[in-house]
Amino acid sequence: MKRTFKVALIGCGVISKNHLAALSKIDCAEVVALCDVKKEKAEARATEFGIDCKIYTDYIKMLDESTPDAVHVCTPHYLHAPMTLEALRRDIFVFLEKPTCISQGELAELIEAEKRSRASVCVCFQNRFSPSVIKALRLAREDGGARSGYASVFWDRGEKYYTESGWRGSYATEGGGVMINQAIHAIDLLCVFLGAPKALKAKISNYHLEGIIEVEDSCDGIVYHGDDKTSSFYATTAARGVNSTVVYMVTENHKIEVRNYKLFVDGAPVETDEHENYIGKACYGNGHDALIDLFYEAVSSGDSMPVTLENSRAALDLLLAAYRSEGKLVEIGN
Ligand SMILES: NC(=O)c1ccc[n+]([C@@H]2O[C@H](COP(=O)([O-])OP(=O)(O)OC[C@H]3O[C@@H](n4cnc5c(N)ncnc54)[C@H](O)[C@@H]3O)[C@@H](O)[C@H]2O)c1
């Protein structure tokens, strides 16, 4: 019989809801502690999900006192690496929201810390586990693999989005703009379908929030994945009234499109097991449930994590290279 895992969560903002909803469906996970620097946010989430647990404002104290088996890190990007390092030092498994971290130096540090720990990290690229993406990948593989593709990300993010949560909009705390935050799932899927990026050319711009954010609101580029495979992308938060994400792949005989959480092949909709009652945005689908489930399976069995630190690298490499590129070719080496 599976043992019950004690679970803690840090950062009770927008996305914590998806995590707590998924955890409420997992029998072997018991939420024992919630932490937010704003105590009332942690208390509100506990009430909303009917969780009887301890509330903390200091995550170190929480890790030491509640001794969880696993912790979900749902905090601003610049805190991902330090919080994960503290958990790994205590042999606590980590379910880490995207992006893994905000620099290659941090990623290297995490990988080293994981080697020294009895615990490991799963990175939340939940869209890889949506039924549409799983089916799209299978179709692509059956047709010899994707040869080229594109991602387009059109979101609407105005000034309020950045002023509401102060960590957004700065390199120090968000690590970048649309690429590291909104486009990262689509960018990750380009790499899942076409392979890790070898080089790219990209340009970033801030079209509509100059003086309000220092990071990019838009980015476009072309990516070379090796073996003659290329992709291109355009991502913006300067669109109005829309929140749509498309990942489009060309195989020998087909054109495969994942539009938000829906799948289209050669233009026609394809049935998947995806259900409509996702929490949050259409482009997230229900991937959180699936991936969090797989995370606890891995914690329980000792198997490798469904998204390891190492295989979260491609998206981070790609977007950090886009930030450096200024329209010129940047090689992406390991
Ligand atoms: N996987 C996805 O599709 C998805 C979707 C949305 C957000 N996210 C990611 O989730 C993370 C959180 O995003 P969000 O939209 O929920 O942000 P948010 O600002 O709504 O929530 C972050 C929370 O962290 C808390 N916090 C900040 N510093 C803290 C600290 N030192 N200790 C404890 N709590 C602290 C804040 O008070 C806030 O409540 C980000 O990494 C974001 O990119 C992922």
Side-chain angles (χ1 to χ4, degrees):
M1 200 173 69
K2 259 188 215 164
R3 62 179 269 240
T4 298
F5 298 107
K6 292 198 289 176
V7 179
L9 181 145
I10 319 172
C12 296
V14 177
I15 206 63
S16 64
K17 213 171 156 146
N18 295 57
H19 291 243
L20 293 171
L23 283 163
S24 71
K25 294 170 217 152
I26 298 178
D27 292 339
C28 69
E30 184 197 355
V31 179
V32 297
L34 294 177
C35 173
D36 199 291
V37 278
K38 293 183 178 158
K39 192 175 181 202
E40 64 283 4
K41 290 182 83 169
E43 286 170 342
R45 282 286 184 252
T47 307
E48 184 183 350
F49 285 89
I51 304 168
D52 180 18
C53 71
K54 288 204 72 171
I55 303 292
Y56 290 87
T57 53
D58 177 344
Y59 81 97
I60 297 281
K61 195 166 178 230
M62 177 182 78
L63 296 181
D64 287 337
E65 284 186 8
S66 68
T67 61
D69 299 294
V71 64
H72 290 232
V73 174
C74 304
T75 49
H77 300 173
Y78 72 107
L79 294 169
H80 290 191
M83 288 178 164
T84 301
L85 290 171
E86 291 293 347
L88 286 174
R89 232 170 256 147
R90 291 165 176 78
D91 296 322
I92 297 167
F93 287 88
V94 183
F95 188 81
L96 175 60
E97 260 304 345
K98 59 77 184 164
T100 312
C101 51
I102 61 175
S103 72
Q104 267 141 347
E106 282 186 341
L107 180 61
E109 224 185 316
L110 287 170
I111 288 171
E112 282 312 305
E114 193 185 49
K115 284 182 194 155
R116 292 190 297 270
S117 178
R118 282 201 291 273
S120 50
V121 181
C122 176
V123 180
C124 189
F125 280 135
Q126 81 276 1
N127 288 7
R128 290 188 196 179
F129 300 88
S130 87
S132 298
V133 170
I134 290 170
K135 195 160 192 172
L137 257 177
R138 203 180 62 232
L139 292 172
R141 281 194 189 121
E142 284 167 3
D143 201 27
R147 297 174 162 197
S148 64
Y150 72 78
S152 65
V153 177
F154 286 87
W155 283 41
D156 178 348
R157 288 291 185 234
E159 183 171 352
K160 191 162 164 267
Y161 172 77
Y162 294 94
T163 45
E164 257 172 14
S165 275
W167 62 273
R168 297 185 180 124
S170 98
Y171 282 110
T173 51
E174 192 177 10
V178 65
M179 285 296 280
I180 201 166
N181 198 337
Q182 289 79 18
I184 194 168
H185 291 298
I187 293 302
D188 178 60
L189 290 182
L190 285 182
C191 301
V192 168
F193 279 93
L194 291 161
K198 306 286 186 237
L200 63 64
K201 286 181 189 174
K203 277 188 184 162
I204 56 172
S205 332
N206 181 355
Y207 287 125
H208 83 311
L209 290 173
E210 224 174 314
I212 295 161
I213 59 173
E214 65 173 7
V215 297
E216 85 287 0
D217 68 11
S218 307
C219 181
D220 63 281
I222 177 164
V223 186
Y224 304 96
H225 298 264
D227 298 330
D228 224 17
K229 295 182 204 166
T230 59
S231 66
S232 46
F233 64 86
Y234 182 70
T236 186
T237 48
R240 284 294 162 262
V242 290
N243 165 23
S244 89
T245 299
V246 171
V247 177
Y248 188 96
M249 289 298 142
V250 179
T251 61
E252 187 177 353
N253 298 297
H254 298 295
K255 308 221 180 327
I256 300 171
E257 179 181 348
V258 178
R259 191 187 308 158
N260 286 339
Y261 63 95
K262 295 193 171 166
L263 176 63
F264 299 81
V265 176
D266 301 324
V270 172
E271 281 289 310
T272 69
D273 298 334
E274 189 70 85
H275 46 93
E276 301 275 332
N277 57 340
Y278 51 84
I279 298 174
K281 299 182 179 59
C283 55
Y284 302 164
N286 289 295
H288 272 96
D289 278 10
L291 183 52
I292 291 172
D293 218 12
L294 290 170
F295 169 69
Y296 284 97
E297 289 287 335
V299 171
S300 174
S301 65
D303 288 347
S304 166
M305 284 296 158
V307 183
T308 63
L309 286 172
E310 197 51 68
N311 70 31
S312 75
R313 175 191 292 279
L316 191 69
D317 278 351
L318 194 159
L319 67 91
L320 292 177
Y323 291 158
R324 297 194 299 276
S325 166
E326 296 178 345
K328 299 196 181 62
L329 188 73
V330 176
E331 306 276 350
I332 303 170
N334 282 315

